[in-house]
Amino acid sequence: MPVKVSKNLPVKEILEKENIFVMDEDRAMHQDIRPIQICILNLMPLKEQTELQILRELSNTPLQIDVTLMRMGSHVEKHTSESHMANFYKTSDELRRHRFDGMIVTGAPVELMDFEDVDYWDELARVFSWVNTHVTSTMYLCWGAQAAMYYYYGYEKHLLDHKLFGIFSHRVYNRKTPLLRGFDDIFNMPHSRWTETDQESMARSEELTILAQSKEAGIALCMSENGRKVFNFGHLEYDRMQLRQEYERDKKKGVDIQLPLHYFPDDDPARRPYLTWRAAANNIYTNWLNYYVYQSTPFNLDGTPFGESLPDNYKE
C-alpha cells in the first residue's frame, strides 16, 4: 500500500523511480479508507535526504499511510530552502490540536550541546509533553532518542572518547516482543554519534525494556509503556552511502575522524560499502507500524484514549 505525501514533494519522484508506491492527496481522496496518520518531526539539517530515507521504510507495509512533516518553529533552517519548508512542513504550534497514530522524531547534529542550550529545546519539550495525549506510539531516533530519555526519565548523555561511527553488530533481547518479529539473533545497525545516554541508568530502569545491545555500541534499542515509546539510538534508516558522505564531509572540515568501522570492504574507502542492515530496517518499521500503531489506534482519532486536553505548558 502507498505512503501518501504532497504531490509536489521533491522526493516523491525519487521514490516512484525506486518502484515505491506513493500517492498524492488527489488520488487518496477517492479511497474509502482511514489511512494511518504518521507525523515526522524532522530535526536533521538536510531535510529532503531524511525524508527520503524514512519514507522508504514506511512504504514496506500493506497499510496506507498519510505523512505530515513537522518542524520546529523556533529554529531557522540554514540547509533547506525556505520554500521547501513553507510548502511541506508545519510547525508544532500549527499541529498542536492534531492527533496522530504514530510519530517519528529524528536525530539532530547538536549532540555536543547541553539539551537546554539547543535553541528549540523549549519547543521540543512541549512536543514531548504533547505526544503523551496526541500520539499512539512514537519512535525516537539517535539524538532524538537521547533527548527523549533526558526529558522523560532524566537520563544524561555523556561524551565518548571518540565518535561511535560505523556498522555494529547487535544481539537481540526479549525477542518475543512484537517489535522484534522476524529478527535474527544478531543484526547490524549504523551508528554515527559522539555521545551516548547513561548505559547504567537504562540497564537498571524498571520502565525500559532493552531490545538490542552491542558490545561496541551499547544499548541500541529499547522501549517503554508497552511500545508507546520506542528508542532507537542508531540509524537503521540510513542508506548505503550515508556514512561515506559523513566521513568525506568531516575530512573536508578538518575533523579528526576515523574510518567508519566495519563499513568499507577491507577498510578501503575507495570500495563500495556493503549494505548489511536493510532487512533489519524493514523489519523494525514494519513491526512498529503494524503492532504498535495500526493495531493499537482507534478508527476515529478523536476518540483516542489518551485524553482530550492540551498539556499544561502548551499555552494558547
Side-chain angles (χ1 to χ4, degrees), residues 122-142:
D122 289 344
E123 182 179 2
L124 183 61
R126 291 196 299 271
V127 171
F128 285 165
S129 177
W130 168 84
V131 300
N132 287 327
T133 53
H134 288 71
V135 181
T136 302
S137 178
T138 303
M139 184 184 293
Y140 303 89
L141 309 180
C142 199

Side-chain angles (χ1 to χ4, degrees), residues 6-20:
S6 171
K7 63 181 178 182
N8 297 317
L9 187 70
V11 300
K12 178 175 180 287
E13 182 178 352
I14 300 174
L15 292 167
E16 289 174 334
K17 288 180 180 178
E18 296 178 2
N19 291 321
I20 292 175

Side-chain angles (χ1 to χ4, degrees), residues 96 154 200 283 287 305:
R96 71 188 189 279
E200 292 185 4
N283 259 355
N287 289 343

Side-chain angles (χ1 to χ4, degrees), residues 217-243:
I219 296 172
L221 189 66
C222 61
M223 72 179 193
S224 64
E225 301 177 38
N226 293 319
R228 286 207 61 215
K229 294 182 175 68
V230 176
F231 306 93
N232 181 349
F233 296 95
H235 283 289
L236 279 171
E237 79 282 0
Y238 269 12
D239 57 34
R240 181 194 304 266
M241 307 306 292
Q242 180 75 34
L243 293 183

Side-chain angles (χ1 to χ4, degrees), residues 10 21 26 32 38 56-57 61-62 79 89 93 96 120 143 180 186 210 216 244 247 254 269 278 284 289 292 302:
F21 189 10
D26 295 339
D32 186 17
I38 301 294
R56 279 192 186 116
E57 299 306 328
T61 78
H79 301 280
Y89 280 78
D93 280 343
R96 71 188 189 279
Y120 52 80
W143 181 84
L180 299 175
I186 304 295
I210 306 302
E216 295 177 277
R244 168 182 270 178
Y247 172 68
R278 179 57 54 81
I284 202 76
L289 285 170
Y292 299 93
D302 290 336

Side-chain angles (χ1 to χ4, degrees), residues 54-67:
I54 293 179
L55 290 174
R56 279 192 186 116
E57 299 306 328
L58 295 180
S59 70
N60 288 310
T61 78
L63 305 172
Q64 181 174 314
I65 299 168
D66 188 349
V67 172

Side-chain angles (χ1 to χ4, degrees), residues 106-213:
T106 74
V110 293
E111 58 182 317
L112 296 181
M113 302 172 63
D114 291 338
F115 292 117
E116 288 86 354
D117 290 339
V118 176
D119 63 0
Y120 52 80
W121 176 254
D122 289 344
E123 182 179 2
L124 183 61
R126 291 196 299 271
V127 171
F128 285 165
S129 177
W130 168 84
V131 300
N132 287 327
T133 53
H134 288 71
V135 181
T136 302
S137 178
T138 303
M139 184 184 293
Y140 303 89
L141 309 180
C142 199
W143 181 84
Q146 293 182 339
M149 280 286 176
Y150 177 72
Y151 176 83
Y152 293 118
Y153 307 114
Y155 297 162
E156 298 281 355
K157 60 181 171 65
H158 304 293
L159 183 66
L160 297 169
D161 294 335
H162 59 275
K163 186 175 184 179
L164 185 68
F165 190 39
I167 310 300
F168 299 94
S169 176
H170 299 75
R171 180 182 173 187
V172 167
Y173 295 88
N174 292 293
R175 66 173 308 107
K176 292 184 179 179
T177 303
L179 193 65
L180 299 175
R181 293 273 172 87
F183 271 75
D184 294 323
D185 289 338
I186 304 295
F187 70 95
N188 286 338
M189 181 190 297
H191 288 268
S192 178
R193 50 187 167 85
W194 292 94
T195 59
E196 71 176 9
T197 297
D198 185 356
Q199 299 287 289
E200 292 185 4
S201 295
M202 288 195 292
R204 290 196 308 265
S205 174
E206 296 182 357
E207 298 175 281
L208 299 177
T209 301
I210 306 302
L211 300 176
Q213 190 166 1

